């Protein structure tokens, strides 16, 4: 498989409304789309979003890394996807987001060429998966804004079928966050309810939060303390917390999972393609979680388009079980880059929304061009 043409699109897509994290407020999705054409005329698409506080990459740095990778990639004959990672590492150290973008586009080409859906290829790649094929995976909905707005949104989306929730915490005092969590947990009792502090809490605050009766209805608490915290702090938090502990920023692949498993410091993890370096590594990480009886949350960065959403969802359809839900973030975009964006059906993503070969989503070139970031240009080789 040979790359004959490359087009790179640096995009900026406004969100429906700003999303407030513990350490930042996001108003638009800055993401890079990559289109590769092979010798057969097929087009494969990849995507990666910026995440300065997670991967350290801005739009400018991500764009530069993708450009560097694809310039070298054009000279390579691409065969077995299991060899992709080694080839990437021989070209560029680190930079998991850029590698994820290139891998996604190559996998799209490979699965199109072999007339197979990406999720079915991943199922064959996922050694030991014995669960039956699933037709849908549960979507996780994020809540934010004033408590009144969070309650109104929770009622509305629950009526629409959502049963998995994430409440952003960490930007307010522990007392204020606990009041919000108590009100929303009472309203959504029986559902899978989580909180996410994006590492903004001290160890003392995290323990205070988790041991409060106001938080007792939570299904899990994600990344309460900073990813750079000592392992002893994660161990103590896990020991003291009656709430299952999930990790996000701390987990970039199987090495970290195995380290935290050995320390008995987590109950599950959130996997993003931009952290693991691609779909295949994320799928392997999901298998590692499963093998250790740990819970899985799949997530797109806030926010990514239906393209990255479909690639991430393919892991869920391959594995067959996503107990902590799938955070599909195109639902927060003002517009998407394809004619038929992925949508929720009774709070789930239906596999029928993905086409039968490749990743399952084909961007509309006109929509993509309309989303090019101000001050940036389309790059073509």
């Amino acid at each position: 498989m040979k790359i004959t043409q490359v087009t790179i699109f640096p995009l900026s897509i406004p969100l429906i409304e700003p999303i407030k994290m513990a350490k930042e407020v996001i108003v638009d999705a800055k993401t890079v789309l990559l289109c590769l054409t092979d010798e057969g005329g097929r087009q494969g698409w990849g995507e990666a979003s910026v995440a300065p506080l997670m991967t350290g990459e801005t739009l400018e740095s991500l764009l530069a890394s993708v450009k560097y990778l694809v310039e070298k990639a054009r000279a390579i004959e691409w065969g077995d996807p299991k060899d992709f990672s080694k080839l990437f590492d021989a070209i560029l150290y680190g930079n998991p987001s850029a590698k994820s973008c290139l891998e996604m586009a190559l996998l799209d080409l490979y699965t199109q060429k072999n007339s197979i859906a990406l999720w079915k290829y991943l199922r064959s790649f996922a050694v030991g998966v014995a669960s039956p094929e699933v037709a849908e995976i549960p979507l996780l909905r994020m809540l934010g804004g004033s408590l009144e707005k969070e309650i109104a949104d929770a009622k509305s989306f629950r009526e629409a079928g959502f049963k998995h929730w994430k409440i952003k915490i960490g930007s307010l005092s522990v007392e204020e966050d606990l009041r919000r969590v108590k009100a929303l947990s009472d309203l959504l009792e029986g559902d899978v309810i989580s909180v996410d502090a994006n590492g903004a809490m001290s160890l003392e605050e995290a323990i205070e939060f988790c041991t409060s009766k106001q938080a007792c209805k939570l299904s899990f608490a994600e990344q309460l303390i900073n990813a750079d915290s000592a392992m002893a702090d994660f161990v103590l938090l896990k020991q003291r917390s009656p709430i299952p502990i999930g990790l996000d920023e701390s987990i970039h692949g199987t090495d970290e999972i195995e380290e935290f498993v050995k320390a008995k410091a987590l109950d599950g993890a959130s996997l993003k393609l931009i952290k693991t370096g691609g779909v295949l590594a994320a799928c392997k990480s999901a298998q590692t979680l499963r093998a250790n009886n740990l819970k899985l949350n799949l997530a797109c960065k806030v926010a990514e388009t239906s393209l990255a959403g479909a690639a991430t969802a393919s892991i869920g359809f391959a594995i067959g079980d996503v107990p902590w839900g799938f955070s599909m973030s195109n639902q927060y975009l003002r517009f998407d880059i394809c004619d038929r964006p992925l949508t929720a059906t009774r709070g789930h993503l239906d596999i029928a929304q993905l086409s039968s070969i490749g990743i399952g989503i084909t961007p509309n070139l006109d929509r993509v061009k309309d989303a090019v970031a101000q001050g940036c240009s389309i790059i073509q080789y």
Side-chain angles (χ1 to χ4, degrees):
M1 193 168 65
K2 196 80 171 179
I3 299 169
T4 60
Q5 185 173 313
V6 175
T7 311
I8 307 171
F9 304 89
L11 307 184
S12 178
I13 304 175
L15 303 187
I16 295 171
E17 59 187 32
I19 294 179
K20 186 177 182 182
M21 309 287 196
K23 300 176 182 178
E24 61 180 332
V25 177
I26 300 175
V27 297
D28 61 356
K30 290 183 171 61
T31 190
V32 172
L33 255 61
L34 171 66
C35 180
L36 303 179
T37 303
D38 70 6
E39 71 277 20
R42 287 173 289 264
Q43 289 188 329
W45 288 83
E47 177 181 6
S49 289
V50 307
L53 300 180
M54 182 176 290
T55 62
E57 291 171 308
T58 64
L59 186 60
E60 293 75 18
S61 66
L62 178 57
L63 186 60
S65 297
V66 170
K67 285 172 58 180
Y68 183 84
L69 274 172
V70 297
E71 285 169 2
K72 304 291 185 181
R74 294 177 67 196
I76 296 173
E77 182 74 32
W78 296 94
D80 189 341
K82 293 175 184 176
D83 297 329
F84 287 178
S85 179
K86 290 181 180 178
L87 291 169
F88 296 157
D89 290 345
I91 299 171
L92 182 65
Y93 175 79
N95 292 276
S97 300
K99 291 175 180 176
S100 173
C101 188
L102 176 56
E103 185 207 63
M104 193 185 301
L106 288 169
L107 283 172
D108 196 16
L109 286 175
Y110 179 86
T111 49
Q112 287 181 52
K113 184 176 182 179
N114 289 277
S115 300
I116 187 173
L118 175 60
W119 74 267
K120 286 189 176 181
Y121 170 73
L122 293 178
R123 193 169 176 85
S124 67
F125 174 82
V127 178
V129 172
S131 59
E133 293 183 6
V134 295
E136 59 183 21
I137 52 177
L139 294 177
L140 183 150
R141 182 74 196 189
M142 189 159 49
L143 298 172
S146 67
L147 180 57
E148 292 74 18
K149 182 180 182 305
E150 288 179 311
I151 290 173
D153 285 347
K155 288 179 178 178
S156 173
F157 286 108
R158 198 185 203 201
E159 197 171 292
F162 281 84
K163 297 292 183 182
H164 289 65
W165 311 92
K166 176 179 285 187
I167 305 166
K168 286 293 185 180
I169 62 173
S171 62
L172 304 174
S173 68
V174 173
E175 293 75 18
E176 289 175 289
D177 278 335
L178 283 169
R179 282 196 292 271
R180 292 172 54 231
V181 167
K182 173 70 163 59
L184 291 166
S185 296
D186 287 346
L187 175 66
L188 301 169
E189 188 170 0
D191 293 354
V192 177
I193 311 166
S194 65
V195 294
D196 181 9
N198 295 111
M201 288 183 165
S202 67
L203 177 61
E204 293 74 20
E205 290 171 332
I207 292 173
E208 178 188 352
F209 181 92
C210 290
T211 54
S212 170
K213 291 182 179 180
Q214 292 175 290
C216 67
K217 294 177 183 177
L218 290 174
S219 303
F220 66 100
E222 181 180 305
Q223 200 67 53
L224 298 183
I225 60 176
N226 193 281
D228 292 331
S229 300
M231 180 59 77
D233 290 350
F234 287 101
V235 172
L236 182 58
L237 176 59
K238 173 70 171 65
Q239 291 173 342
R240 295 286 301 276
S241 175
I243 302 166
I245 296 297
L247 297 177
D248 181 2
E249 287 87 344
S250 293
I251 303 297
H252 289 253
T254 54
D255 288 347
E256 291 86 0
I257 293 172
E258 289 169 355
E259 182 183 1
F260 278 92
V261 167
K262 185 177 180 181
K264 298 180 180 179
L266 84 168
D267 294 288
S270 175
L271 301 180
K272 294 183 175 73
L273 305 186
I274 60 171
K275 293 191 302 172
T276 63
V279 174
L280 298 183
C283 192
K284 183 179 179 182
S285 294
Q287 292 178 78
T288 302
L289 290 172
R290 188 187 184 110
N292 287 281
N293 297 311
L294 299 172
K295 302 294 187 182
L296 167 66
N297 164 250
L298 290 172
C300 294
K301 179 72 178 71
V302 177
E304 292 176 325
T305 74
S306 287
L307 179 63
T312 306
S314 293
I315 300 169
F317 289 122
I319 297 294
D321 185 29
V322 191
W324 282 354
F326 169 37
S327 305
M328 187 175 75
S329 60
N330 74 308
Q331 60 190 316
Y332 308 116
L333 295 174
R334 194 171 295 173
F335 62 88
D336 211 329
I337 48 83
C338 54
D339 293 327
R340 298 177 62 185
L342 299 180
T343 58
T345 303
R346 297 301 302 166
H348 291 73
L349 177 65
D350 190 331
I351 199 169
Q353 292 188 54
L354 305 182
S355 58
S356 59
I357 63 171
I359 288 177
I361 290 292
T362 302
N364 178 316
L365 193 55
D366 290 333
R367 286 175 174 262
V368 173
K369 289 178 178 178
D370 287 343
V372 171
Q374 187 175 2
C376 294
S377 302
I378 298 170
I379 300 165
Q380 194 164 37
Y381 299 100

